Amino acid sequence: MKKNLLSAERLHRLPSQGRLVRLVAVFSTVLIVISVLSLLLVGQIASNEADDLAAQTEKRLFHNALRDRQRLMARDLLVVARWDDAVQGVAIEPDNDFISDDFVGSLWWDSGYSRSFIIDAEGQQIASSREDRVDFTKRKLDPADDLAIITRRAVEAYMRYRIAVEGGFSQRVMKTSEIGNISVYSFSVIDGEPAIVSATAIVPHDEALLPDGPPPIAVVAKQIDEELIRDLNSQLAFDNLAFSEDATGVVPVQSASGKVLGSFSWTGTTPGTRIWDVVVPVVLFLTTFLALAGFLIMRHVAKLSAALSESQQQVRDAALHDPLSGLANRLKFDHALAVAAEKASKEPFAVIAGDLDRFKAVNDVHGHAAGDQVIRTVAARLRELVGENGLVGRVGGDEFVILVTGFSDRHRLMLLATQILTSVSMPMVLEEGALVDVGISLGIAVAPACGNTAEVIMAAADHTLLASKEQGRGRALFHEDMPQELRTVAA
C-alpha cells in the first residue's frame, strides 16, 4: 500500500516538476527575449542619437565654414568698394582705365577673384571681368536674372545704412563684425557653373560723396570648383566633400532667384556603427549563458553607454577644434573670449588677430598640400610661443587669433608679438624639399581699455589688424596706437 502511495506521489510529482522546468524555461526564454529586445532597443536609440548628433554637428560646421568664406569675399570686396577713388572713377566720372587697372586689377591680383561685375545706378551692367581682362560692353540686366536680384538687395542694404551729409550721401561706418549688414551673399550660375556671389555698394571712405539715388554695385563671384571645395575642407576634413547638380545632397544650394543649383554632400561619420559592434556580441553571449544574463546586461549596457559617451565626446571635440591645425576653432575661441570679457574689469587680457602674409603665393606655386603644411607649422609655432598664457585659434584660411590671459601689459605683449613675427617668418622646408617663408601681420587689442564686450574687443583687434596690414604688413600694431578717430570707428 505504501509502495503504491509512494508510486502515486511520484507520478503526481512528475508533472509538477515538468511544469517547473517549463516555467523555468519560459521564464528564461522571456528573460532572454526581454534582455535582447531591450538591448537592441537601447542600441538602436543610442546608434540613432550618435549618428544624428554627428550629422547635425557636421552641418553646423559646414555652414560655419561657408559663412567664413562669404565673409572673406565681402571683406576683400569692401577693400576696393569703400574707396573715395572708386566713387570718383566708377560712380561720378566712370574711368575705364581706373576700373581696369585699379579696381578690377586689385580684385584679381590681390584677392584672386577671376570674375567681377560693376552694375551702375540704373541697374545696367557696365563692366565685367575675367581675371584682369575687362569687357566694358553695357548690358541691361533682366529683372529676373540672379545678378539683378543680388544688385537690388545690395542697393536696399546701402539705402538702409546710408547717411545724408552736406553736399550728398555717404554710408555709416560699420564694424568688421557687421560687414554682413551691408554686403549681400548668394549663389548664381556664372559662365554656366554654380558660383558663390558677394555684392556691395561702392561708397565713400572719407571725403567723396554720392548723389541721391542708387549707388553703383560691385559684384565678385567664386565658382564652386575643386579649389573652393579644398579650401572649405581645409577647415572641415570631411570625407568625400563634393558639390553636384543633384539637389538631394546634405546641403542644397539655391540661386538668388530661387532655382536649385545643386547641393554639397559628403560621407558623414557614423559613430553608431561602433555601438553595434558592442551590442551584437552581447546578444549572442546572453542567449548562451542565461545564468549570467543580468550581469552581462549590466556590464555591456555600461560598455554601450561608454561607447556613446566616447562618440559624443569625439563629436564635441570635432566641433571645438580646427581639424587641420588642431587649434581652437571659432566656436571654442568665441566662447573663451566671452568668458574673459565678463571678467575683464578684474582680469584684463588681450586679443591678438593675425593674418599670414604671402600665403597665397605658397598655395599658387607649391599647391594646397604645401599650404596645409605651412598652416600646421605656423600653428605649432604659435602654440609653443603662447603656451599656458592663453588660447590660440584658427578662424579662417590663413587667419589666426590669440586670447592672451596670462598677462596684459604692453611690454610683455610686445615681446610676444615680436617673438611671433620672428618665429613665423623663419623659413620652412616643405615635404617636397622646397624652402618657403611667410610673414604675419598682427593687431593687438587690450581689454577692457578697448571695450567690455566680446564683439567690441574682437572688432577692435580685427580693425587694428587691417590697419597693420595697410601700414606695410609684417608688423604688430596696438589698438591704442591708432589715431583716435579710427579707434572710435573700431569701438
Side-chain angles (χ1 to χ4, degrees):
M1 182 69 178
K2 289 183 178 179
K3 184 177 181 178
N4 292 336
L5 287 174
L6 288 173
S7 298
E9 288 177 1
R10 291 191 183 99
L11 291 173
H12 181 71
R13 195 180 296 120
L14 286 176
S16 298
Q17 291 175 341
R19 285 194 297 270
L20 180 59
V21 170
R22 288 194 298 272
L23 180 61
V24 171
V26 170
F27 178 77
S28 299
T29 302
V30 171
L31 178 62
I32 292 175
V33 170
I34 291 176
S35 300
V36 170
L37 291 179
S38 299
L39 195 56
L40 288 175
L41 179 60
V42 171
Q44 185 65 42
I45 293 173
S47 176
N48 290 343
E49 285 287 337
D51 290 345
D52 289 346
L53 180 60
Q56 293 170 9
T57 301
E58 288 173 347
K59 281 187 179 181
R60 184 165 60 252
L61 291 173
F62 180 80
H63 284 295
N64 288 342
L66 191 59
R67 280 194 294 271
D68 286 343
R69 160 54 66 174
Q70 291 170 333
R71 290 193 199 98
L72 178 61
M73 292 178 65
R75 191 185 70 181
D76 291 341
L77 183 56
L78 197 60
V79 169
V80 295
R82 190 177 186 85
W83 186 16
D84 286 352
D85 289 352
V87 172
Q88 182 65 30
V90 177
I92 307 301
E93 296 180 2
D95 182 343
N96 289 356
D97 290 338
F98 171 83
I99 293 174
S100 177
D101 297 338
D102 296 311
F103 196 91
V104 171
S106 178
L107 290 173
W108 165 240
W109 294 111
D110 294 344
S111 303
Y113 295 108
S114 60
R115 294 293 277 129
S116 60
F117 306 88
I118 298 177
I119 315 300
D120 67 12
E122 286 73 37
Q124 181 176 235
Q125 176 183 303
I126 61 172
S128 65
S129 73
R130 285 180 174 82
E131 297 182 353
D132 60 343
R133 301 183 302 276
V134 183
D135 180 5
F136 290 100
T137 303
K138 294 184 178 181
R139 181 172 72 90
K140 186 68 176 178
L141 298 179
D142 184 341
D145 183 81
D146 287 335
L147 280 182
I149 296 172
I150 293 170
T151 298
R152 289 197 296 271
R153 292 176 183 173
V155 170
E156 292 170 0
Y158 162 78
M159 298 301 287
R160 282 196 300 270
Y161 293 97
R162 78 169 184 172
I163 54 176
V165 295
E166 184 178 353
F169 291 86
S170 185
Q171 187 178 62
R172 182 165 67 86
V173 176
M174 308 297 288
K175 302 175 185 177
T176 303
S177 58
E178 297 175 330
I179 286 179
N181 295 337
I182 56 175
S183 300
V184 176
Y185 316 126
S186 189
F187 296 89
S188 180
V189 174
I190 304 295
D191 299 332
E193 298 293 336
I196 302 178
V197 178
S198 180
T200 192
I202 297 175
V203 297
H205 178 266
D206 190 12
E207 299 179 353
L209 295 174
L210 283 170
D212 192 11
I217 302 298
V219 182
V220 293
K222 179 70 176 176
Q223 287 190 336
I224 304 177
D225 53 16
E226 292 184 1
E227 180 183 0
L228 177 65
I229 297 296
R230 283 195 303 268
D231 184 44
L232 291 174
N233 211 26
S234 67
Q235 297 177 244
L236 301 170
F238 286 172
D239 289 334
N240 304 317
L241 178 63
F243 178 86
S244 68
E245 295 181 358
D246 182 6
T248 61
V250 181
V251 179
V253 170
Q254 285 189 336
S255 70
S257 59
K259 180 182 177 182
V260 177
L261 304 180
S263 62
F264 290 97
S265 60
W266 59 86
T267 302
T269 57
T270 54
T273 57
R274 294 196 297 273
I275 296 173
W276 285 112
D277 292 340
V278 176
V279 172
V280 173
V282 170
V283 171
L284 295 175
F285 192 75
L286 285 176
T287 59
T288 306
F289 300 95
L290 177 61
L292 299 176
F295 171 75
L296 293 176
I297 290 174
M298 293 289 291
R299 176 185 176 186
H300 287 279
V301 166
K303 287 185 178 180
L304 184 64
S305 299
L308 176 59
S309 177
E310 180 184 355
S311 67
Q312 291 175 333
Q313 184 61 44
Q314 290 174 351
V315 171
R316 282 193 292 267
D317 288 343
L320 295 176
H321 292 86
D322 170 43
L324 176 61
S325 64
L327 300 177
N329 64 7
R330 183 179 295 277
L331 183 64
K332 182 174 181 178
F333 185 86
D334 286 349
H335 175 74
L337 177 58
V339 172
E342 292 178 355
K343 302 183 294 184
S345 60
K346 296 181 180 180
E347 300 177 18
F349 64 92
V351 173
I352 304 177
D355 192 271
L356 296 184
D357 303 324
R358 304 185 298 280
F359 178 71
K360 183 177 182 297
V362 175
N363 272 337
D364 291 344
V365 175
H366 300 284
H368 288 274
D372 291 348
Q373 183 180 346
V374 169
I375 291 296
R376 287 192 293 268
T377 302
V378 171
R381 293 177 180 180
L382 292 178
R383 189 188 296 111
E384 181 180 359
L385 289 172
V386 175
E388 299 297 324
N389 291 311
L391 176 69
V392 183
R394 177 177 176 240
V395 295
D398 59 349
E399 300 177 36
F400 296 86
V401 286
I402 304 172
L403 177 63
V404 182
T405 54
F407 50 83
S408 61
D409 59 285
R410 182 185 180 101
H411 174 72
R412 282 190 287 180
L413 287 173
M414 193 63 222
L415 178 60
L416 175 60
T418 302
Q419 292 172 335
I420 291 173
L421 294 173
T422 302
S423 178
V424 171
S425 63
M426 292 177 61
M428 307 174 193
V429 180
L430 300 178
E431 293 178 355
E432 64 184 30
L435 189 68
V436 299
D437 67 277
V438 296
I440 192 169
S441 299
L442 302 175
I444 307 171
V446 181
C450 66
N452 53 15
T453 67
E455 292 78 7
V456 171
I457 297 166
M458 193 68 245
D462 285 340
H463 196 74
T464 309
L465 170 61
L466 291 177
S468 175
K469 293 181 77 72
E470 289 174 357
Q471 291 181 11
R473 303 175 183 269
R475 63 181 61 201
L477 179 66
F478 280 84
H479 181 257
E480 63 195 51
D481 294 339
M482 296 171 61
Q484 182 62 42
E485 62 273 14
L486 294 182
R487 278 189 278 159
T488 303
V489 168

